[in-house]
Amino acid sequence: MAPLPVINHPQVLPYRDEHLSLDFDQQAATLDSERMTLTRKEYDLLALLVQHAGEIIPREALLMQVWGYGAEIRTRTLDVHVRRLRKKLGGYADQYIETIFGIGYRFQPFGAARFFQAPVSKPVMAIGA
């Protein structure tokens, strides 16, 4: 069995908007000035989505990057973790994490368009294959 990938965030600038901030060096997330209590996997998932804000990340890529699962693994763990993240994001959940049915998920910065539109020139994001 191959070792699980380590998600490092070398020299990535912190993310900040009106409500949410992520400090990748400290591996900390804050919502409305309150530190969020996240599990390691919840943080890794949120950090990966935030680092690719506006891009659609396929389910398979998220499962591989965060959990090390290959395409042959069938699991609902991603959906469970997204549901937990949304609960912790409270009233901002629908703004930040967009489900692209049949494809994957997309993080949208606060105030960005919320609904999927077919990309004109930017292909769907694929992380490591």
Side-chain angles (χ1 to χ4, degrees), residues 83-126:
R83 185 171 58 243
R84 289 178 185 161
L85 268 179
R86 284 182 169 145
K87 185 174 183 179
K88 292 177 181 186
L89 289 168
Y92 306 116
D94 290 339
Q95 169 62 54
Y96 285 123
I97 300 177
E98 182 180 8
T99 300
I100 310 301
F101 290 101
I103 300 173
Y105 294 95
R106 173 169 55 183
F107 177 85
Q108 293 287 55
F110 189 79
R114 292 174 34 177
F115 301 103
F116 176 67
Q117 296 175 356
V120 175
S121 62
K122 193 171 187 179
V124 170
M125 180 3 210

Side-chain angles (χ1 to χ4, degrees), residues 54-83:
E55 299 177 41
I56 299 167
I57 305 179
R59 294 179 56 81
E60 296 77 21
L62 290 167
L63 286 166
M64 174 56 78
Q65 288 295 305
V66 177
W67 287 274
Y69 294 165
E72 70 283 355
I73 302 291
R74 297 288 173 245
T75 179
R76 302 300 294 174
T77 195
L78 175 59
D79 305 296
V80 170
H81 280 76
V82 167
R83 185 171 58 243

